[in-house]
Amino acid sequence: MKDLLRVEDLTVEFGVHEGVLRAVDKVSFSIPPGGTVALVGESGSGKSVCSQAIMGLLPRTATISSGSILFQDPRVDEGVVDIARIDRSGPAMRRIRGGQISIIFQEPMTSLSALHTVGDQIGEAVELHGARPGGPLGGQAGRKLSRAEIDALTVDMLRMVGFPDPKRALRTYPFELSGGLRQRAMIAMALVCRPALLIADEPTTALDVTIQAQILRLMKDLQSELGMALLMITHDLGVVANVADDVVVMYRGKVVESGDLHDIFRDPQHPYLKALLHAVPRFDMKPGERLQPIREIKGTTGHLLKEKPVSAPTETFNPDAPVLKVRHVTKTFRIRKADTLMEQLMGGGTTRAIRAVNDVSFDVMRGECLGLVGESGCGKTTLSKMLMRGISADAGQGGRVVFDDWGRKIDVMSLEGADLNRFRTKLQFIFQDPFGSLNPRMTVYDILVEPLVIHGIGDDAYRREMVAELMEMVGLDRRHLSRYPHSFSGGQRQRIGIARALALRPDMVICDEPVSALDVSIQAQILNLLKDLQKQLGLTYLFISHNLAVVDYIADRIAVMCAGRLVELAPAGELFRNPMHPYTKALLSAVPMPDPDARLDLGALMEGKASDPSVWPEPFRDDGKTPLFWTEAEPGHYVRVSRPNGREVV
Amino acid sequence: MTDTTPTGATPEPRRRAPHFVSQEPWDPYVADKLTAEQERYYMAGQWKLMWWRFRRHKPAVVSLAFLLLMYFSTLISEFIAPYDLHTRHTRYIFAAPQSVHLFHEGSFLGPFVYGLKMERDPATLQRVYSPDKTKPQQLRFFCLGESYEFWGLIEGSFHFVCPPKDGTFFLLGTDRLGRDMFSRIVYAARISLTIGIIGIALSFALALILGGLAGYYGGWIDSVVQRITEIIKSFPHLPLWLALSAALPVTWSPLLVYFGITIILALLDWPGLGRAVRSKLLSLREEDYAAAAQMMGAKPARIIGRHLLPGFMSHLIASATLSIPSMILAETALSFLGLGLRPPITSWGVLLNEATDINVVAVNWWLMLPVVPVILVILAYQFMGDGMRDAADPYA
């Protein structure tokens, strides 16, 4: 066998409550030694089940009903092993698992044990598998290694995956590490036995783009250094285009198309793959070009929704004035460590202040979509919650948020009681997680009618009609109103969330990562729906996302946020043509594009420094001492620099 | 790195993978079609989903049926018991259980018992009962027997089973005053089974209020409630029960003592449930749907009532079910030690109080029989609680 791994006609079935579920259906592909194969598909496509089958990690309810998984490690002459036939928990499988085939998982936060040091966890694999054949320490394969040898190997591995101080890292616990470093530790753990095949199951999905780019680069480097093969499981076509040699596209358990990377991207044949490629937002889209989701939503807006807005404009109403003005808003979280009862009652203990949002100012114009981009922990969600009055901003910092209700100025921060309740109807919120944001114990009707009940809008008949219209507005069947949320897919639930946010007919909606939990094809569907609704209902959006391509598709202007501050704000096209801030540049250069000819320039990455304001080059460097100004560098293009070379605003 | 030579890589140029395209027909909307089974599942609410899950847990279902039967029996104890709680048969002190027979000398007679003959052991002077095999005495069913006051209100004498005319029917023997053990166990179930329910209702209320306050307001209220919880939990329970029940005035009527005991049990039982309430409330408060309701302008009462309570009610009921057995056991223990309920109120624990003297028990083993229903009920509660806990979160 010339291939390292050959999967032939693999079928995996799950015994479920209703009968038998075929998760993987006659799947075939092969991985050459040292090659990279990407297994692409959306959730439920069976790609992870494939990886579990190869690792012998299938759950008890799953059976391999036909097919074979042939594996041959060229370094050892054990001949060809059919993983599908050997006992999943037997010694043969244990020898392969972790020794010859390794896996890294998606979630670096939960894949490491919190109770053991990084060094112990990495060393464990070596301890179990012993010296590798022909390894650096010599001796017979499988020879038990001494503590010192294990530590040496582990330090070596940690150095390879880029830990700055590997000796010290040996003794650190996972909670001391950032997400990126944890994923590096995971990779070190998987590779310390020098496997012939590494399976990476969505290895970068939980990471920020700049970290993702670093990890992808690291995996490529290690692959060529160690000569292992890589099976990359992902839903992200951008990642695929950047790392893969061959691509296998799966849909509902079946392979719909497979082949060389360039064939797949240049000459897609299957309607599913074609549709998938059209559904991914790209930077090079023409203005006005629409994404083509696999299933388009056919929504209709009924007469109740089209009725005049709740508030009539006053005489002083200026349609060109911003609908939301945010000025110098700051939020500091104080983390209090009070250990004793006395301290808790009397307010003692030590406090540490974290400035989540730091002096942020911007305008949202009426009818526009302002994109807010930033990586996790940059303060974008805190900012949105402050605007919604979910969290209160720091008092005494001169922070102000003014909402323009058709000429009536509302000071959002000082609203109380009935005024605050009335304001709730003007500004609404769409959540990221379509599963957590709908109460599973209420029917869809109860969920959608709740805002109307709370605000006492309309009588029974009106509410019934309004809810049905809302349902149809997001392209769902009004007959499904008596169902519970668990009967809907992620995309459908997100549509229900959108319908709920629009039930009060707000003027403005804050969308907090509304598509980041969804599959690519569903993402396109939701983005198009949001765009259409904006046009039909004259909405203003503040669209928060970590995904630049998504923001580019939907937003008119984009604000970039880092470490609690806005660093750049510009019209969408301008920002991509002419990014000024080093952080924006780093973000832009780190987004993997679904185009094999436009691979990431992995060398240009700022080794994890992109989001550290104190190492940005002058004049952007923020060391806390040099005063920085929010400066209009070009008309409509703002950036935070130290020397104001333009006019200072606000 | 000491060793960087790629051991597994092939030097030859990579083969170009063949381009495969599936020719099977493809329908993007196939995922949207539903079967009738799915449709039924999707229309089901929380409680229905939970019931479906619970039903899959067979021991739990059997336990539920058993418990329902037991509780139903407490409603009609007078009808089930052949004798009254206090009827004394001075001729039959410590009588052994009479077994029910169907055949007499090879011929079918229907359910009957043999009469009891009492003799004194000349050496030990103990009473020795032996069945008088010559005279089968037929049992009567759905019959008129000893008169009673149904729930102390209605006069009646209708029984499920009555002793034979001029005979006796002691299915589980008699005690030192010649009272029928079976009848006493049936009547005692009333007290033993309800003390758990009433006690748990009280402790549930306490847990909801105190745990709810701690979970919803947090801060110092939380701290105080947590510390009280810890203090109560760290007390050795048995001495505390003893002290508290000894504090109940002797002058109280037995009924007041009954309520006093339930209150004592509830006071010591709520911390566990209170913690469950608090932690559930804390986690549910962080759910997006609670935030969504808040951002819609919902008031705290609505958020708690519509969004938080339904979310943890099922969990609470499950954990409450699991703590009923400890209540029953606590009452049994207290009464066994003679510090709980006092006659004439009779619980299983009070019955067991008769079995404290090992010499008596060694001869009259049937005095230990009240242990059997205690064990069965506790086991049933445990199994049912297990099933309920598994079913409590149908969305997990």
Side-chain angles (χ1 to χ4, degrees), chain A residues 307-313 317 323-324 364-369 403-408 410 422-429 501-510 533-534 537-542:
Chain A
E307 272 175 19
K308 283 185 77 66
V310 188
S311 317
F317 173 62
V323 64
L324 189 76
V364 186
M365 309 306 289
R366 192 169 290 277
E368 82 163 343
C369 173
F403 187 85
D404 181 3
D405 179 24
W406 301 91
R408 284 169 290 266
I410 300 176
R422 208 167 315 122
F423 170 68
R424 299 267 188 221
T425 64
K426 319 279 183 217
L427 180 61
Q428 273 295 317
F429 198 84
L502 297 179
L504 294 169
R505 281 176 297 158
D507 294 319
M508 181 173 165
V509 180
I510 298 178
L533 289 172
Q534 186 184 20
L537 305 172
L539 296 168
T540 306
Y541 288 146
L542 176 61

Side-chain angles (χ1 to χ4, degrees), chain A residues 3 194 257-258 344 441 455, chain B residues 1 15 19-20 223 296:
Chain A
D3 291 320
R194 304 292 190 273
E257 190 160 349
S258 68
Q344 283 174 28
R441 291 168 179 85
H455 290 277
Chain B
M1 233 12 248
R15 288 166 297 134
H19 194 165
F20 161 84
S223 289
M296 270 184 273

Side-chain angles (χ1 to χ4, degrees), chain A residues 3 132 194 246 251 254 256-258 260 263 295 344 424 436 439-441 450 455 483-484 487, chain B residues 1 3 14-16 19-20 22 24 26 28 34 42-46 223 289 295-296 302 307 395:
Chain A
D3 291 320
R132 74 190 173 96
R194 304 292 190 273
D246 300 339
Y251 179 75
K254 289 182 180 151
V256 290
E257 190 160 349
S258 68
D260 183 80
D263 290 343
R295 294 175 287 271
Q344 283 174 28
R424 299 267 188 221
N439 189 340
R441 291 168 179 85
E450 187 169 32
H455 290 277
R483 287 197 191 168
Y484 287 85
S487 65
Chain B
M1 233 12 248
D3 168 60
R14 210 170 59 82
R15 288 166 297 134
R16 208 178 156 86
H19 194 165
F20 161 84
S22 165
E24 284 180 50
W26 182 71
L34 293 176
Y42 290 161
M43 301 290 278
Q46 171 183 207
S223 289
Y289 60 79
M295 287 179 186
M296 270 184 273
R302 187 184 173 87
H307 296 278
Y395 307 104

Side-chain angles (χ1 to χ4, degrees), chain A residues 482-548:
Chain A
S482 52
R483 287 197 191 168
Y484 287 85
H486 66 260
S487 65
F488 295 93
S489 67
Q492 288 171 327
R493 288 187 208 207
Q494 196 56 290
R495 277 142 72 182
I496 296 170
I498 292 171
R500 177 179 60 184
L502 297 179
L504 294 169
R505 281 176 297 158
D507 294 319
M508 181 173 165
V509 180
I510 298 178
C511 314
D512 187 3
E513 305 253 16
V515 294
S516 56
L518 304 174
D519 278 327
V520 182
S521 64
I522 309 294
Q523 168 180 309
Q525 202 184 44
I526 299 290
L527 288 175
N528 282 350
L529 177 70
L530 285 171
K531 267 197 152 180
D532 294 346
L533 289 172
Q534 186 184 20
K535 214 177 298 158
Q536 285 159 12
L537 305 172
L539 296 168
T540 306
Y541 288 146
L542 176 61
F543 191 98
I544 299 170
S545 178
H546 69 281
N547 188 331
L548 270 171

Side-chain angles (χ1 to χ4, degrees), chain A residues 390-405:
Chain A
I391 320 176
S392 52
D394 288 4
Q397 303 278 334
R400 242 157 44 90
V401 178
V402 178
F403 187 85
D404 181 3
D405 179 24

Side-chain angles (χ1 to χ4, degrees), chain B residues 105-122:
Chain B
E105 290 172 353
S107 60
F108 181 76
L109 255 182
F112 68 92
V113 293
Y114 290 114
L116 284 178
K117 269 194 312 202
M118 194 264 280
E119 283 163 12
R120 288 257 179 199
D121 186 319

